Amino acid sequence: MGVFRHNFSTNTCLVYLTDYIKHEIGAGNYVGMVALDVQKAFDCVNHEILCKKLELMGIDSSWFKSYLSDRSQITNVSGISSEMQKVKCGVPQGSLLGPLLYLCYSNDMEISVSCKLILYADDSIILVSGKDPKLLELQLAKELKSVNNWLIENKLSLHPGKCEAIIFCSKRKSKLVSNFTVKFNDTSITAKSNIKYSGSVIDQSLSGAENVSNIIKKSNGKLKFLYRHSDVLNSLHSSNSRTCGLCKHFVVLQSGLHSQK
């Protein structure tokens, strides 16, 4: 778990994840993954359970009990406020302690599974690898059930409809896989060709094509904006020649793109 640690970021998490997947694909394995969606994770943290976990970590929980208890909240819509209600669970969002307390709360989730589990704040994924995709479906279903039991014990809940599944393999092997589906209770989680995790789009073969496509779309949108306002940019040439020179370069590039169409 690299979140909120010095020199660790979403990039660190993604590098760790892709290295693991590439290693397994290199060994001739398929890698099945399910991205978990915990409903209102920060808002549903049970204060009593959290304090017990802090004590097991050797942390005096008396200050945290005071910090979390006797909090109230109201809802205001168009100047009309609801009655004040006591906050019985959850960690304060927008605070420095809130995310750290959630990490302490979810840190022992790994004891509920026998597969690889990657936690990054409230984004969690489970991974299994093997030679047979059908066996991976069964293993992921089993691990999902175990994770769900842990969530229930900790007063949290899984949102099966928002969980996403994907199977990683080489391009050659991807043609041999059809209907990769992970079943959880009455919900079937059908594998997608790509999923978004930690701000990046990951596809089945880790080609990065979807990420490149998204970057090109965003860049084209900004270039088109500059092209439409080229007259205004030219008028600013005398006030800021360096910035305008850079903008002019983008405008010329965009003009070239238009002429090629």
Side-chain angles (χ1 to χ4, degrees), residues 75-220:
T75 301
N76 185 287
V77 179
S78 301
I80 301 175
S81 300
S82 66
E83 293 183 3
M84 187 171 290
Q85 299 288 337
K86 282 192 175 183
V87 178
K88 298 180 180 180
C89 61
V91 291
Q93 295 194 48
S95 65
L96 292 175
L97 274 179
L100 290 173
L101 289 174
Y102 180 78
L103 292 184
C104 293
Y105 192 79
S106 62
N107 191 50
D108 62 333
M109 187 190 291
E110 63 179 355
I111 65 174
S112 68
V113 297
S114 56
C115 64
K116 181 171 285 294
L117 170 71
I118 299 179
L119 298 170
Y120 194 91
D122 59 338
D123 291 330
S124 308
I125 56 175
I126 54 175
L127 300 109
V128 296
S129 61
K131 303 290 185 182
D132 187 350
K134 293 300 179 183
L135 288 178
L136 298 187
E137 290 179 349
L138 296 175
Q139 290 176 25
L140 284 171
K142 179 182 176 182
E143 299 298 346
L144 264 178
K145 185 177 180 180
S146 298
V147 169
N148 188 57
N149 290 337
W150 181 91
L151 291 171
I152 292 173
E153 289 176 1
N154 287 272
K155 310 299 182 183
L156 297 174
S157 58
L158 193 66
H159 195 310
K162 290 187 177 180
C163 292
E164 295 181 308
I166 187 171
I167 182 166
F168 299 99
C169 56
S170 63
K171 289 184 178 180
R172 179 179 59 84
K173 282 192 171 184
S174 64
K175 298 176 182 179
L176 305 175
V177 182
S178 62
N179 278 338
F180 185 84
T181 303
V182 180
K183 293 185 178 181
F184 175 72
N185 294 339
D186 297 328
T187 304
S188 294
I189 307 171
T190 304
K192 298 182 176 181
S193 58
N194 60 73
I195 65 173
K196 190 171 183 180
Y197 179 71
S198 293
S200 180
V201 180
I202 309 173
D203 59 75
Q204 282 182 305
S205 56
L206 300 180
S207 67
E210 194 67 27
N211 272 327
V212 173
S213 177
N214 289 338
I215 292 170
I216 291 174
K217 287 179 182 178
K218 290 180 182 179
S219 299
N220 282 340

Side-chain angles (χ1 to χ4, degrees), residues 56-76:
L56 289 172
M57 294 177 187
I59 302 171
D60 185 359
S61 65
S62 57
W63 185 90
F64 291 97
K65 288 178 181 177
S66 175
Y67 174 71
L68 295 170
S69 61
D70 296 325
R71 286 180 173 270
S72 302
Q73 65 181 16
I74 61 172
T75 301
N76 185 287

Side-chain angles (χ1 to χ4, degrees), residues 9 32 79 133:
S9 66

Side-chain angles (χ1 to χ4, degrees), residues 220 223 252-261:
N220 282 340
L223 288 172
V252 171
L253 176 60
Q254 183 64 32
S255 299
L257 292 174
H258 277 280
S259 64
Q260 292 175 10
K261 293 182 179 179

Side-chain angles (χ1 to χ4, degrees), residues 191-251:
K192 298 182 176 181
S193 58
N194 60 73
I195 65 173
K196 190 171 183 180
Y197 179 71
S198 293
S200 180
V201 180
I202 309 173
D203 59 75
Q204 282 182 305
S205 56
L206 300 180
S207 67
E210 194 67 27
N211 272 327
V212 173
S213 177
N214 289 338
I215 292 170
I216 291 174
K217 287 179 182 178
K218 290 180 182 179
S219 299
N220 282 340
K222 293 179 180 179
L223 288 172
K224 288 177 182 177
F225 172 83
L226 292 173
Y227 181 77
R228 289 195 303 269
H229 296 83
S230 57
D231 293 340
V232 177
L233 294 172
N234 288 333
S235 67
L236 297 174
H237 183 273
S238 58
S239 61
N240 195 337
S241 59
R242 180 179 296 179
T243 303
C244 193
L246 181 61
C247 292
K248 186 176 181 181
H249 170 74
F250 284 130
V251 172

Side-chain angles (χ1 to χ4, degrees), residues 28-48:
N29 293 328
Y30 293 93
V31 179
M33 182 179 104
V34 174
L36 308 176
D37 185 273
V38 180
Q39 297 188 69
K40 298 183 179 180
F42 285 80
D43 293 331
C44 295
V45 171
N46 183 277
H47 295 166
E48 184 179 352

